[in-house]
Amino acid sequence: GESVGLHLPTLSVQEGDNSIINCAYSNSASDYFIWYKQESGKGPQFIIDIRSNMDKRQGQRVTVLLNKTVKHLSLQIAATQPGDSAVYFCAENSESYIPTFGRGTSLIVHP
Amino acid sequence: KAGVTQTPRYLIKTRGQQVTLSCSPISGHRSVSWYQQTPGQGLQFLFEYFSETQRNKGNFPGRFSGRQFSNSRSEMNVSTLELGDSALYLCASSLLGAGSRVEQYFGPGTRLTVT
């Protein structure tokens, strides 16, 4: 498969652990945030989104937290599984619309 | 429902050549956005087309251009290729547009290598 994220921050966890992936965004005017998962050889896949009028949103095994004060976003994955191994990155939409993406974090789940 | 498809999946070109990449969005989606992904710069927005009109453009030189057809299929062209154009080019489609806070669906990408 293709390597889409060389020299990325890496998070290694054991299967069954909870994972927390962090993202700092730059534009205080951003009002919509998305987390994507990208597996080797594939395009990014939507995981969960959150609007700026919320500070927490939960999905299936995933939770996104938004702290607008420090412009920080986090993705929590509960009971991490080997299939969760991938590169995860956040995206922000600002008033100008053009979406901005974070560099990504490589998550490695050990069985 | 079929996903976003991109062709070709892999391409090798030499400097100075031009290249055309193709993207077929999900049926019913009118918005197609193009992105360049490199290890150094991450994922960067190129442009978005909606109903055959370019709606937004990222900060890329004029060598990068695109178009969208009446069936929503889109092509992206890069002229006078440079080594730095080597990247994974991703296409994403959505129902209303990337700025509409509606989910975008990405294709698998075209890996372009410029030698």
Side-chain angles (χ1 to χ4, degrees), chain A:
Chain A
E2 301 146 352
S3 175
V4 297
L6 299 179
H7 311 301
L8 290 176
T10 299
L11 176 63
S12 290
V13 301
Q14 290 295 128
E15 182 178 0
D17 286 352
N18 295 332
S19 302
I20 299 177
I21 300 170
N22 298 302
C23 176
Y25 64 93
S26 56
N27 192 337
S28 56
S30 295
D31 61 0
Y32 180 59
F33 305 88
I34 312 158
W35 277 101
Y36 289 96
K37 171 187 180 183
Q38 188 170 21
E39 297 173 276
S40 184
K42 297 183 179 179
Q45 178 186 5
F46 174 95
I47 301 174
I48 191 168
D49 60 0
I50 189 168
R51 296 176 188 273
S52 60
N53 61 352
M54 303 170 69
D55 53 22
K56 180 179 180 179
R57 189 162 188 228
Q58 289 183 291
Q60 189 174 22
R61 280 202 308 119
V62 295
T63 301
V64 56
L65 299 177
L66 174 63
N67 185 330
K68 295 181 287 294
T69 302
V70 296
K71 293 189 285 187
H72 183 268
L73 201 61
S74 69
L75 176 71
Q76 300 177 0
I77 305 174
T80 315
Q81 302 166 1
D84 294 328
S85 294
V87 173
Y88 291 82
F89 54 89
C90 64
E92 59 177 304
N93 264 21
S94 67
E95 197 173 300
S96 65
Y97 155 67
I98 295 175
T100 305
F101 294 82
R103 287 290 317 284
T105 295
S106 178
L107 175 64
I108 299 172
V109 183
H110 301 282

